[in-house]
Amino acid sequence: CVYKDEMYIYGGAMNNPKIFLNDLWKYKFSTGKWEKCQVIGENPPRAYHCAVVIRTYMFLIGGVGSEQNNLPPIIAIDLETYR
């Protein structure tokens, strides 16, 4: 998702073994650099989800996580505070 002059990417998966991620990264178009964001609170790892920005919030919808993980259908992260 794009918010202001930055692109945000949340989670994803790595293979061998299948590991689901819950990190948030932003790419600053003005500098051409990536930066890892420190999200406050606990957000479950997920991949293959959709994301949309409304006002200051990035909403993550759907996706899959580890088999032990019951994902909430929607979570929101405030891109101003990372909560």
Side-chain angles (χ1 to χ4, degrees):
C1 288
V2 174
Y3 175 69
K4 294 186 177 179
D5 186 37
E6 300 165 335
M7 177 176 59
Y8 289 85
I9 297 178
Y10 179 88
M14 297 187 316
N15 291 324
N16 291 335
K18 190 72 144 184
I19 299 171
F20 293 93
L21 307 170
N22 67 344
D23 47 353
L24 178 66
W25 288 83
K26 71 177 173 183
Y27 176 81
K28 292 187 174 190
F29 293 107
S30 60
T31 64
K33 296 190 179 184
W34 286 96
E35 180 182 321
K36 187 172 184 180
C37 306
Q38 297 300 319
V39 178
I40 299 167
E42 206 170 303
N43 292 307
R46 67 174 66 211
Y48 312 110
H49 54 279
C50 295
V52 63
V53 172
I54 300 174
R55 294 193 177 108
T56 64
Y57 288 91
M58 178 179 182
F59 291 90
L60 306 172
I61 305 149
V64 297
S66 64
E67 292 179 26
Q68 302 83 15
N69 190 345
N70 291 325
L71 291 176
I74 298 175
I75 63 170
I77 300 171
D78 187 327
L79 297 177
E80 294 286 329
T81 63
Y82 301 126
R83 291 182 184 265

